[in-house]
Amino acid sequence: MAEQMTGAQMVIQALVDQAVEHVFGYPGGAVLPIYDELFQQDKLRHILVRHEQGAVHAAEGYARSTGKVGCVLVTSGPGATNAVTGLTDALMDSTPLVCITGQVPTHLIGNDAFQECDTVGITRPCTKHNYLVKNVDDLARVLHEAFYVAANGRPGPVVVDIPKDVQFAKGFYSGPRNVQHKTYRPKLKGDLEKIKAAVALMAGAKRPVIYSGGGVVNSGSEASHLLRELVKLTGFPITSTLMGLGAFPAANPQWLGMLGMHGTYEANMAMHDCDVMVCIGARFDDRITGRVDAFSPGSKRVHVDIDASSINKNVKVDIGIVGDCGHVLEDMIRLWRASSVETDKPALAAWWQQIDKWRGRKSLAYRNSSEVIKPQYAIERLYALTRDRDVYITTEVGQHQMWAAQFFKFEEPHRWMTSGGLGTMGYGLPAAVGVQLAHPNALVIDIAGEASVLMTMQEMSTAVQYRLPIKIFIINNQYMGMVRQWQELLHGGRYSESYSEALPDFVKLAEAYHCVGIRCAKPDELDAAIRKMLAVDRPVIFDCVVDPTENCFPMIPAGRAHNEMLLGDAAQDLEAAITEEGKVMV
Amino acid sequence: MLMKNPATERHTLSVLVDNEPGVLARVIGLFSGRGYNIDSLTVSETEHEKQLSRITIVTTGTPMVIEQIKNQLERLVPVHRVIDVTVGGKSIERELAMVKVRGTGERRVEALRLSDAFRARVIDATTESFVFELTGKSDKIDQFVGLMLPLGLVEVSRTGIVAITRGPEAM
């Protein structure tokens, strides 16, 4: 039954009907009617952030750790423009969000009114879709459509811009069941003939590799199960992008580790030398492919993606399958079983032997120190000491992010929240706020850099206000480490503006925010300090003072091929690795 | 693998969209944001009841880029269908131009004579000028405009290309 209510009431009703529990937002003049309605109800919980960018990242953390649509509410003008970074981040990483923005009243639109901006114009290229609602009778439909568009197909952020007079106006509300989008029907099932061809190609492979990505995580936990089943069934090695970590368990022997610019030697070499590549829910990003014309020169490629525009965008593939990863994996497994495939066992055994040789180089090895904490060691210890806990990790962007991806091992999807596509410094802290709200009893750690975390540090207030015991584990090397690393390797060691001058005292900063500050600078004190952090049931800022000059290896320099990796000086020499592994193999 | 400098092709795309605010901006923003070319763009509502508009875009790119453009257009939420009318060569393309020519005496007579040969219509006239209306393929219009140049061409207004497929089927 349609009932009459104000636009502001419709917003609340629509969010409740869409099963939203938390809204991340910041009030302002153009959303006051909605905030007034929020005040008078108890079904939705509003989380007051300290900056609108934080609201969007928190909603992203919430969405990516639950698989649900994250929800944001901000005001017009600066509220909307501050949200733009978060929206772009969500678009790049295919994170489902609905962001409601206030707008000046319709009669003032275009008049350069106070706190007016062309929100739909500004957010058009950084959202999956956006709406300006000028008539209250369209509002309920648009809000439900927004949730549908955000969550279906390739997920992404949707903005609904609502002028203030529309929030006051009365109209008829209709529930989500009565709303169906006119045209948007993403294709879930893949073309069976193509899947058959893919299975045939895989069956004949001599040097196969499966390369999975965030699409598997986005598809839901069933897709991760199916991916595991396919890997087990085929006996193929598997690697994953940064965004896909956790879809396949890191403890499994078929796991090669992450691939790409800072991926493992074995993952990248397997990609380079394979004869059949099966890409599932990843998009051949430049951080993955390196130099495109030298990318995996001898392989036949299968690409599964729900977004047809991802197929043949960066890299030409032989079989492009448009569909949802879960559905396609299901069909793939069914067809594999039905055709009782006989794989080329001797060839696969030889391929695994080759992979073990590459593994023998131990590309993630680093020289530890008893004097100074190595960042890799810090993350290894953090991982080791949290193994008995229900852990969710967020990160900022830079060296610490790559070390976290290399040294923190994930067994399940939705446990790893990081800004992959856009590379947004300042993502991790607000994302941790969102994750902790969704999982109140879990251990949520933001593995941070001291430069990144200062970009959204004010969200500590949010964490304290809502008693969210997030742990900000700062790998403090006093540099924008990845910038410094590139300057060292590519710009003659001229460290232009990459030193973090005049850093705050993070322990005192924690105290100023009414949370707990811990500092550790000695390797032999690290375990005790981490244990202390884990024992605190309040937000903590952990200042882990590490070696300022450590570089992140392995590394494929930009514009190079997979087999032109730079390895750290602790990695094993290939000849030595062969003989060492040879003993095991033979 | 990317091929080295494959030849570019010119394609005409017919895009059926919901006639809603901002839809043209979405399409144009896609082209500018991703660095695709627009050689010609025509847009108008075609089915008032269903609130549908048809956008005809002429673009140039390698086959891989043309394929990308189609896929990128198709994933825009208000886009119903994208048809590459160039594929198969079963399309008709037309353009309309209005051409203003100023002159007297023999030049004026010559302009009128040529317009007749091109089946252009006179839609405005003064004692020293004509406005011709001309429909046809783009190269025919180019040719006509070229001929008017020495005869006192003042200005030209062109619609850009519209296209439709041959035969009984709709897009």
Side-chain angles (χ1 to χ4, degrees):
Chain A
M1 256 321 267
E3 50 181 314
Q4 210 176 16
M5 56 175 85
T6 67
Q9 286 168 331
M10 284 187 197
V11 171
I12 306 297
Q13 190 59 50
L15 298 191
V16 170
D17 286 349
Q18 290 288 344
V20 174
E21 289 166 0
H22 295 93
V23 187
F24 301 88
Y26 203 103
V31 279
L32 282 176
I34 300 173
Y35 273 85
D36 198 32
E37 290 302 328
L38 266 174
F39 189 82
Q40 300 175 56
Q41 57 81 49
D42 55 5
K43 288 176 182 146
L44 281 179
R45 190 168 177 216
H46 179 268
I47 307 300
L48 177 68
V49 295
R50 299 302 187 266
H51 184 288
E52 288 86 350
Q53 183 189 348
V56 187
H57 292 326
E60 285 185 273
Y62 188 91
R64 288 190 43 201
S65 66
T66 59
K68 298 200 288 191
V69 177
C71 194
V72 179
L73 174 60
V74 297
T75 193
S76 63
T81 56
N82 278 347
V84 163
T85 299
L87 292 170
T88 312
D89 191 272
L91 183 71
M92 292 285 272
D93 285 346
S94 308
T95 308
L97 297 183
V98 170
C99 175
I100 294 164
T101 56
Q103 182 56 277
V104 301
T106 38
H107 72 275
L108 285 178
I109 290 178
N111 282 15
D112 297 328
F114 177 65
Q115 291 197 328
E116 182 189 355
C117 74
D118 176 9
T119 300
V120 284
I122 290 170
T123 60
R124 200 172 283 129
C126 64
T127 53
K128 182 174 171 187
H129 195 51
N130 63 13
Y131 299 86
L132 168 63
V133 184
K134 286 186 166 175
N135 185 341
V136 71
D137 290 322
D138 295 332
L139 184 56
R141 173 185 60 80
V142 165
L143 285 165
H144 296 309
E145 265 187 29
F147 276 88
Y148 171 80
V149 170
N152 286 276
R154 181 175 177 176
V158 178
V159 162
V160 181
D161 197 26
I162 313 175
K164 197 171 180 180
D165 56 328
V166 175
Q167 298 170 31
F168 278 122
K170 282 198 162 185
F172 286 99
Y173 177 80
S174 52
R177 276 195 207 134
N178 306 326
V179 172
Q180 200 185 23
H181 194 276
K182 265 191 284 186
T183 50
Y184 190 64
R185 304 271 183 283
K187 196 173 156 224
L188 296 177
K189 297 290 274 183
D191 182 333
L192 263 187
E193 288 309 309
K194 286 187 174 173
I195 300 176
K196 264 183 206 161
V199 166
L201 185 65
M202 287 158 70
K206 293 181 189 304
R207 300 184 309 280
V209 67
I210 294 174
Y211 143 49
S212 76
V216 178
V217 180
N218 272 337
S219 177
S221 45
E222 185 55 24
S224 295
H225 288 303
L226 291 165
L227 179 69
R228 290 159 196 223
E229 205 174 323
L230 181 75
V231 172
K232 194 176 166 191
L233 204 58
T234 56
F236 291 177
I238 174 167
T239 176
S240 147
T241 66
L242 181 74
M243 299 304 293
L245 296 178
F248 190 83
N252 188 295
Q254 282 168 267
W255 172 245
L256 303 184
M258 179 176 78
L259 81 161
M261 185 173 268
H262 293 287
T264 64
Y265 185 70
E266 51 271 30
N268 286 327
M269 289 304 286
M271 288 289 280
H272 187 267
D273 284 6
C274 68
D275 70 338
V276 172
M277 178 188 297
V278 184
C279 168
I280 305 173
R283 58 184 177 89
F284 295 95
D285 168 272
D286 58 273
R287 283 296 184 268
I288 294 303
T289 59
R291 209 176 89 209
V292 172
D293 60 2
F295 174 73
S296 192
S299 63
K300 292 267 185 195
R301 298 159 197 154
V302 178
H303 186 183
V304 181
D305 204 300
I306 196 155
D307 178 359
S309 75
S310 282
I311 293 169
N312 290 325
K313 179 173 68 181
N314 301 330
V315 163
K316 199 112 181 89
V317 297
D318 300 278
I319 303 173
I321 302 168
V322 180
D324 173 70
C325 293
H327 284 84
V328 176
L329 279 166
E330 197 180 352
D331 285 336
M332 228 175 222
I333 290 167
R334 192 170 47 75
L335 289 170
W336 183 281
R337 288 219 168 98
S339 58
S340 48
V341 174
E342 283 294 322
T343 52
D344 187 343
K345 296 238 158 48
L348 288 181
W351 178 231
W352 274 110
Q353 220 162 29
Q354 174 63 61
I355 286 169
D356 283 334
K357 281 179 195 166
W358 289 327
R359 277 178 171 159
R361 291 204 73 172
K362 302 198 185 316
S363 61
L364 297 180
Y366 62 94
R367 288 191 202 289
N368 211 352
S369 156
S370 55
E371 302 296 313
V372 59
I373 299 175
K374 290 286 181 177
Q376 301 94 324
Y377 178 70
I379 293 169
E380 275 190 323
R381 292 317 300 158
L382 184 68
Y383 171 64
L385 296 171
T386 54
R387 294 220 53 186
D388 56 339
R389 302 283 293 267
D390 183 23
V391 192
Y392 290 79
I393 298 292
T394 71
T395 76
E396 310 292 336
V397 169
Q399 283 183 323
H400 68 274
Q401 177 191 28
M402 293 298 115
W403 282 318
Q406 292 172 342
F407 291 93
F408 214 99
K409 311 289 180 195
F410 296 91
E411 307 299 317
E412 295 298 330
H414 302 292
R415 297 302 175 118
W416 164 247
M417 271 57 61
T418 193
S419 172
L422 193 63
T424 311
M425 292 170 73
Y427 169 88
L429 199 166
V433 166
V435 175
Q436 187 79 75
L437 271 159
H439 309 277
N441 301 316
L443 172 64
V444 181
I445 305 173
D446 171 26
I447 297 179
E450 83 291 338
S452 282
V453 79
L454 285 174
M455 288 200 174
T456 49
M457 180 49 90
Q458 69 279 1
E459 300 305 335
M460 280 316 285
S461 282
T462 311
V464 171
Q465 180 180 343
Y466 297 95
R467 300 174 197 280
L468 303 171
I470 58 172
K471 309 289 182 267
I472 310 303
F473 191 82
I474 302 175
I475 303 289
N476 184 350
N477 59 5
Q478 300 160 61
Y479 277 103
M480 294 159 212
M482 196 58 93
V483 175
R484 195 206 59 79
Q485 175 167 344
W486 281 52
Q487 287 172 334
E488 179 188 329
L489 298 175
L490 305 162
H491 295 275
R494 291 178 293 279
Y495 300 124
S496 179
E497 303 294 328
S498 56
Y499 182 65
S500 296
E501 193 87 49
L503 279 173
D505 179 330
F506 284 105
V507 173
K508 285 186 180 156
L509 190 61
E511 285 160 11
Y513 278 113
H514 310 292
C515 58
V516 179
I518 299 172
R519 176 172 298 116
C520 183
K522 295 214 172 75
D524 54 354
E525 293 169 7
L526 183 60
D527 278 20
I530 290 174
R531 284 203 183 92
K532 191 175 155 196
M533 171 182 86
L534 297 175
V536 179
D537 191 28
R538 290 167 58 200
V540 177
I541 297 177
F542 190 110
D543 185 15
C544 186
V545 181
V546 301
D547 183 350
T549 58
E550 188 71 17
N551 284 336
C552 182
F553 289 115
M555 177 181 182
I556 304 174
R560 298 278 195 82
H562 277 165
N563 58 353
E564 298 176 287
M565 287 189 101
L566 301 180
L567 294 179
D569 59 0
Q572 308 266 322
D573 173 72
L574 187 57
E575 289 308 310
I578 290 168
T579 44
E580 189 198 346
E581 282 304 308
K583 288 176 208 158
V584 185
M585 298 306 299
V586 182
Chain B
M1 210 184 305
L2 283 174
M3 287 190 291
K4 293 279 181 203
N5 306 319
T8 59
E9 297 172 359
R10 193 175 151 105
H11 283 241
T12 305
L13 307 178
S14 226
V15 189
L16 201 62
V17 299
D18 283 324
N19 185 16
E20 61 179 35
V23 66
L24 185 61
R26 270 179 227 287
V27 170
I28 293 173
L30 173 71
F31 276 75
S32 64
R34 294 189 182 265
Y36 307 141
N37 301 307
I38 298 181
D39 296 346
S40 161
L41 177 85
T42 319
V43 55
S44 182
E45 189 176 64
T46 49
E47 291 174 65
H48 184 71
E49 256 76 272
K50 293 188 195 161
Q51 296 198 313
L52 289 178
S53 288
R54 192 183 281 238
I55 301 176
T56 309
I57 306 169
V58 182
T59 184
T60 331
T62 61
M64 203 160 152
V65 167
I66 300 281
E67 197 55 36
Q68 255 301 295
I69 292 174
K70 285 189 264 180
N71 286 328
Q72 292 287 355
L73 283 169
E74 255 167 5
R75 77 178 186 144
L76 294 178
V77 172
V79 168
H80 290 236
R81 286 196 75 187
V82 181
I83 295 292
D84 186 342
V85 296
T86 304
V87 170
K90 289 179 71 182
S91 71
I92 309 159
E93 298 184 2
R94 288 294 180 270
E95 199 179 352
L96 184 144
M98 295 189 211
V99 183
K100 187 179 283 184
V101 182
R102 181 178 195 158
T104 50
E106 187 48 41
R107 292 209 304 175
R108 183 173 153 84
V109 175
E110 180 62 15
L112 193 61
R113 203 178 290 138
L114 281 168
S115 75
D116 195 40
F118 275 78
R119 294 188 196 164
R121 293 202 302 147
V122 176
I123 54 173
D124 181 67
T126 68
T127 52
E128 53 170 348
S129 73
F130 285 119
V131 175
F132 298 114
E133 174 200 312
L134 177 65
T135 314
K137 288 188 180 169
S138 298
D139 52 359
K140 173 180 161 183
I141 292 170
D142 290 343
Q143 198 190 357
F144 183 71
V145 171
L147 287 169
M148 289 302 118
L149 202 59
L151 300 176
L153 181 74
V154 178
E155 61 180 344
V156 184
S157 183
R158 293 170 74 152
T159 56
I161 290 168
V162 292
I164 204 159
T165 52
R166 290 180 187 273
E169 309 301 332
M171 74 176 273

